[in-house]
Amino acid sequence: MSDTQGGAPVADGPGPGGEGTARPVLVINAGSSSLKYQLVLADSGRSLATGLVERIGLEDGRATHTVDGEKHVLEQDIPDHTAAFEVLTAQFRDHGPDLQEAAPVAIGHRVVHGGAKFASTVLIDEEVLKTLRRLVPLAPLHNPGNIAGIEVALETFPDLPQVAVFDTAFHQTMPPAAYTYAIPLSWRQTFNIRSYGFHGTSHAYVSRRTAALLGKPLEDTNLVVLHLGNGSSACAVRGGQSVDTSMGLSPLGGLVMGTRPGDLDPGLPAHMSRVSGMTLPEFDHALNKESGLKALAGSSDFREVMELRASGDADAQLAFDVVVHRLVRHLGALALVLGRLDAVAFTAGIGENSPPLRAAVLERAALLGIQLDEQANADARGETRISTSDSAVAAFVVPTNEEWEIALEATKLLATT
Ligand code: ADP
């Protein structure tokens, strides 16, 4: 039974039911230099194997494959995505489960940017691939790796249906007032410049779980989901639909992240060019790789920043304060956008694992009607309510599960085609 009383861990699992004899989905998250995968049962979310192929195209490639808690490591050169998929199939062949026997029903690819073209999961065909290639300018750091993964997966598994699940699709329900930038019409029309939002599979999964934990139908629930990892975004979800989010055109905007700054004054690029002669590619690199926690505290890893802060490091303290301030500002704004708030959910690496960060944000959210249960927050493991039982607005920790969401999306699409 669900127990959403203040402080009590919520006991029942998120799955819709038992595993039966359902076939798994092979979920693929291909980046430019890495390939993450998971063989997952869509009905229960049970993972049969997870793996990571790293340093594709660099020296000293490395692959890990984990089955039943046992990790198998392989070190060899992995020159390209074709070699990465050979490693993937070799890992399954050598360490199981046997892919022939497991008989995945589909491959689900995570794709970062679907532009305004893809508002939902799609079956991949030549036409879809062409559109994805056209969308590369919108996500030059992410989509090429995703596409390379899809191309090789189509060659490696020609008989399996393959679907693309987009980080942006969940946010296609945002109204024009939320996604439109006040910039010249020609930019918006010719180059599709607007806010798109990211982390959609996580926001979708966590909203559904949070409504279930509240014991309310998703359609009647208003939530703010705070996805806080290396990349972070906040999302206002009304009745299961995204109505606003902190990230915009690219994954740079909004909250302060590991190496990305979040919101900035739009005058900054021109100013830096004038005062330092910095070029746009240099600026782009600095904002993608050298900003955020890394710039403020010397480490992009929040856990390390918290250790530095605990040792009295003033830069780490400032970094923490900036992160919290930005979160409070976005949480307040999104609550007003929603008009009525039922719950706030914390998820991803930082959201799930940092009680001090959650406490610092929620202590400043009393205006919204949230009363933190300090003990529950400190002890939170898995899905946990961290607000008191008389808190007008609830707060939860909800571990995200993007792979399961992608597997669910894939099976849902296959059931309708
Ligand atoms: P990604 O966006 O790459 O998927 P994650 O969701 O795994 O990232 O989040 C990574 C972040 O979570 C890192 O900054 C890491 O330091 C932080 N994190 C992980 N565990 C903890 C912890 N116990 N306390 C604080 N931060 C943590």
Side-chain angles (χ1 to χ4, degrees):
M1 284 296 290
S2 280
D3 181 355
T4 55
Q5 293 306 298
V10 182
D12 67 351
E19 283 167 25
T21 54
R23 288 160 59 189
V25 173
L26 179 59
V27 175
I28 302 277
N29 183 354
S32 55
S33 66
S34 71
L35 172 68
K36 262 192 229 163
Y37 58 88
Q38 187 169 144
L39 190 64
V40 54
L41 292 168
D43 57 356
S44 64
R46 189 157 81 86
S47 169
L48 304 179
T50 61
L52 173 63
V53 185
E54 289 173 280
R55 301 184 58 76
I56 300 170
L58 307 167
E59 269 166 25
D60 307 329
R62 182 185 148 91
T64 53
H65 183 83
T66 306
V67 190
D68 294 332
E70 210 173 314
K71 193 169 178 175
H72 307 276
V73 182
L74 195 73
E75 282 171 354
Q76 66 177 63
D77 281 352
I78 305 165
D80 54 23
H81 284 76
T82 304
F85 271 84
E86 281 165 11
V87 168
L88 175 153
T89 44
Q91 293 279 51
F92 275 106
R93 186 192 60 225
D94 296 344
H95 307 294
D98 184 292
L99 275 182
Q100 296 285 338
E101 274 172 33
V105 68
I107 295 186
H109 292 272
R110 178 191 181 197
V111 181
V112 168
H113 217 308
K117 182 80 190 162
F118 297 113
S120 58
T121 297
V122 291
L123 204 57
I124 297 171
D125 57 18
E126 230 0 90
E127 206 45 47
V128 168
L129 258 176
K130 259 192 220 154
T131 310
L132 288 180
R133 290 188 195 108
R134 273 203 301 274
L135 290 172
V136 164
L138 282 174
L141 298 181
H142 295 95
N143 273 28
N146 300 157
I147 293 169
I150 291 172
E151 286 169 339
V152 181
L154 288 170
E155 284 165 21
T156 313
F157 303 100
D159 300 328
L160 276 183
Q162 310 216 9
V163 307
V165 183
F166 300 93
D167 273 19
T168 47
F170 182 63
H171 302 292
Q172 282 294 304
T173 48
M174 283 195 291
Y179 70 67
T180 304
Y181 290 142
I183 52 171
L185 181 65
S186 62
W187 303 8
R188 287 179 273 142
Q189 282 186 338
T190 312
F191 302 109
N192 302 314
I193 307 300
R194 48 161 284 182
S195 172
Y196 289 99
F198 298 88
H199 298 130
T201 48
S202 178
H203 289 303
Y205 175 86
V206 171
S207 328
R208 232 180 23 254
R209 285 306 308 148
T210 307
L213 298 173
L214 270 173
K216 282 181 74 131
L218 182 61
E219 304 77 60
D220 299 336
T221 307
N222 282 7
L223 305 168
V224 172
V225 178
L226 302 173
H227 176 109
L228 312 176
N230 283 316
S232 299
S233 69
C235 183
V237 185
R238 180 186 292 133
Q241 299 200 323
S242 170
V243 291
D244 202 355
T245 187
S246 59
M247 273 183 178
L249 173 75
S250 77
L252 281 179
L255 305 174
V256 175
M257 300 171 240
T259 61
R260 292 171 257 166
D263 294 336
L264 290 173
D265 185 316
L268 188 58
H271 180 80
M272 285 309 292
S273 152
R274 276 193 302 270
V275 297
S276 76
M278 186 178 273
T279 64
L280 264 185
E282 286 167 350
F283 193 73
D284 208 29
H285 174 81
L287 295 190
N288 276 292
K289 305 282 184 202
E290 304 294 338
S291 301
L293 293 175
K294 189 175 175 187
L296 293 175
S299 169
S300 64
D301 187 300
F302 190 75
R303 209 175 345 193
E304 280 178 28
V305 175
M306 293 303 276
E307 283 161 13
L308 288 167
R309 175 177 173 258
S311 72
D313 184 291
D315 292 339
Q317 180 63 50
L318 176 65
F320 181 80
D321 293 343
V322 173
V323 166
V324 170
H325 182 91
R326 189 72 59 83
L327 270 165
V328 168
R329 188 200 267 180
H330 275 269
L331 172 58
L334 293 177
L336 266 187
V337 166
L338 286 168
R340 187 200 85 220
L341 183 64
D342 297 310
V344 174
F346 288 84
T347 195
I350 301 169
E352 293 166 27
N353 295 303
S354 180
L357 185 276
R358 295 192 300 256
V361 172
L362 293 182
E363 276 158 7
R364 292 169 64 181
L367 180 69
L368 300 179
I370 305 175
Q371 294 297 325
L372 176 71
D373 181 328
E374 284 174 26
Q375 200 57 50
N377 182 46
D379 297 344
R381 292 278 175 285
E383 293 181 343
T384 308
R385 179 169 173 146
I386 56 169
S387 52
T388 60
S389 51
D390 59 353
S391 182
V393 170
F396 293 94
V397 175
V398 179
T400 193
N401 194 333
E402 289 165 286
E403 288 79 13
W404 188 9
E405 185 68 16
I406 290 172
L408 283 168
E409 280 286 314
T411 47
K412 226 166 49 188
L413 180 72
L414 291 182
T416 60
T417 49

